[in-house]
Amino acid sequence: VSGEPLSLAESLRRAQQQGLARIDAQLLHLLALGRPLQERAWLLAHDDHMLDADAQGHIAALVARRLAQEPMAYITGHKAFHGLMLQIDARVLDPRPDTETLVDWALSLIPNDRPQRVLDLGTGSGAIALAIAQNRPQAQVVAMDASADALAVAQGNAQRLNLPVELLHSHWFEALGGLANRPFDVIVSNPPYIAQGDVHLNALQHEPQEALVSGPDGLDDIRHIVAHAPLHLRAGGWLLLEHGHDQADAVQALFTQQGWRHVKSQRDMAGIARCTGAQPPDSGDNSVL
Ligand SMILES: C[S@@+](CC[C@H](N)C(=O)[O-])C[C@H]1O[C@@H](n2cnc3c(N)ncnc32)[C@H](O)[C@@H]1O
């Protein structure tokens, strides 16, 4: 920041020259200037507006955070997910558009005309559970997470959006107890699935590592969920899991080895097999667990 007055147009141009996407540069300018983030048209209409040193300093600080790969959702405090506006901060994973594939698959399996019991494991911001509750008012949605911080964010989102989701602090299924006293119709999860030491983690240093990393091959949590879910699913129910772009075959194999039925994967918007799900083994098979 030189102290020289700078036009909005010039400031936007410089931010992009530094490496920001145009949309990110625009949103960060709106944020620094205290304007609603929907007002991108305002930036175009006022591109000769002169920025004082304070505004330039504020913009420079936000641009530096983004250049250090901090997610836009943490900087703005918001993320749109499946038609909902969620409040997001560094206590939770920044919800990804890919995860809408998992929500759409779950919605296709949850009828709209009768109560269904739905469980979201590792709910983070509550994104998946809240999108299901929004679209299936008759569903009883339970959402669990091992992180008390994440649950506080999910609770805030549920209250602000006025959506009835029951939130429980739990290491995977633990809070439900060992008895199949609360069978679910559909269990969904976007668990941690990145392998320890994976190069992708370099670009994800702002996000909670416990939301991302799952053992040497990235599959520890998925293995745990697949092994324990049959006790908590009704016969004919579904377990749907999001996983890494190259894990569909391995996750299908896990399900198949344990006797799950109708194992299949769904592609995300980029055509990548991003979620895998199945129906539990016949109840006779549960005795092996
Ligand atoms: C990849 S994030 C997904 C967050 C959110 N569902 C979404 O799709 O944006 C995984 C979540 O699983 C939670 N988690 C990790 N280990 C867990 C465990 N052992 N039991 C329950 N939740 C766990 C993390 O705290 C994190 O919120």
Side-chain angles (χ1 to χ4, degrees):
V1 179
S2 65
E4 297 292 313
L6 187 67
S7 73
L8 192 45
E10 179 60 14
S11 179
L12 281 162
R13 203 175 58 79
R14 287 191 191 173
Q16 288 178 74
Q17 275 173 349
Q18 286 179 278
L20 285 199
R22 181 162 180 260
I23 171 90
D24 291 356
Q26 291 175 323
L27 292 174
L28 294 182
H29 278 71
L30 288 169
L31 188 65
L33 297 172
R35 305 214 55 101
L37 299 186
Q38 309 85 285
E39 286 194 359
R40 287 166 64 206
W42 181 90
L43 292 174
L44 301 177
H46 295 82
D47 67 355
D48 56 355
H49 175 87
M50 296 308 283
L51 300 169
D52 62 20
D54 265 9
Q56 290 181 45
H58 199 173
I59 290 165
L62 295 179
V63 167
R65 285 172 67 182
R66 184 64 188 132
L67 289 174
Q69 307 204 49
E70 185 168 344
M72 282 297 289
Y74 293 171
I75 302 175
T76 64
H78 292 96
K79 181 73 168 254
F81 180 82
H82 211 279
L84 298 175
M85 189 53 79
L86 300 172
Q87 275 184 10
I88 300 296
D89 61 41
R91 291 175 291 175
V92 293
L93 184 95
D94 172 16
R96 309 292 203 266
D98 296 338
T99 302
E100 296 183 0
T101 305
L102 186 67
V103 172
D104 287 335
W105 193 6
L107 291 176
S108 76
L109 297 170
I110 303 170
N112 211 354
D113 58 355
R114 55 182 184 276
Q116 293 271 290
R117 290 183 51 76
V118 180
L119 174 63
D120 174 21
L121 289 170
T123 197
S125 61
I128 299 169
L130 292 167
I132 291 173
Q134 164 81 8
N135 286 281
R136 292 291 179 271
Q138 293 208 41
Q140 298 166 1
V141 183
V142 178
M144 314 206 292
D145 206 290
S147 157
D149 274 349
L151 286 173
V153 175
Q155 181 76 52
N157 280 321
Q159 270 164 4
R160 228 169 13 81
L161 296 167
N162 199 20
L163 290 168
V165 169
E166 183 184 351
L167 290 158
L168 297 174
H169 192 199
S170 180
H171 176 96
W172 299 132
F173 295 98
E174 236 167 63
L176 301 177
L179 297 173
N181 53 353
R182 300 183 3 139
F184 289 93
D185 298 285
V186 175
I187 300 177
V188 288
S189 185
N190 173 19
Y193 53 67
I194 301 179
Q196 285 157 359
D198 188 303
V199 288
H200 293 99
L201 292 169
N202 296 338
L204 300 170
Q205 289 181 6
H206 295 273
E207 303 195 61
Q209 296 302 293
E210 66 273 21
L212 297 168
V213 182
S214 188
D217 63 355
L219 292 171
D220 279 5
D221 289 301
I222 288 179
R223 268 190 288 271
H224 181 95
I225 293 169
V226 171
H228 291 82
L231 189 59
H232 303 284
L233 267 178
R234 72 162 170 80
W238 283 90
L239 170 62
L240 311 181
L241 297 172
E242 181 172 326
H243 48 67
H245 66 96
D246 54 357
Q247 291 173 331
D249 289 348
V251 177
Q252 286 207 5
L254 272 173
F255 274 119
T256 305
Q257 282 154 15
Q258 300 196 25
W260 289 69
R261 296 173 301 120
H262 302 126
V263 179
K264 57 179 94 158
S265 298
Q266 291 280 325
R267 293 180 188 281
D268 64 16
M269 286 168 291
I272 293 166
R274 175 60 69 180
C275 310
T276 296
Q279 295 187 292
D282 291 335
S283 47
D285 293 350
N286 289 354
S287 58
V288 297
L289 290 170

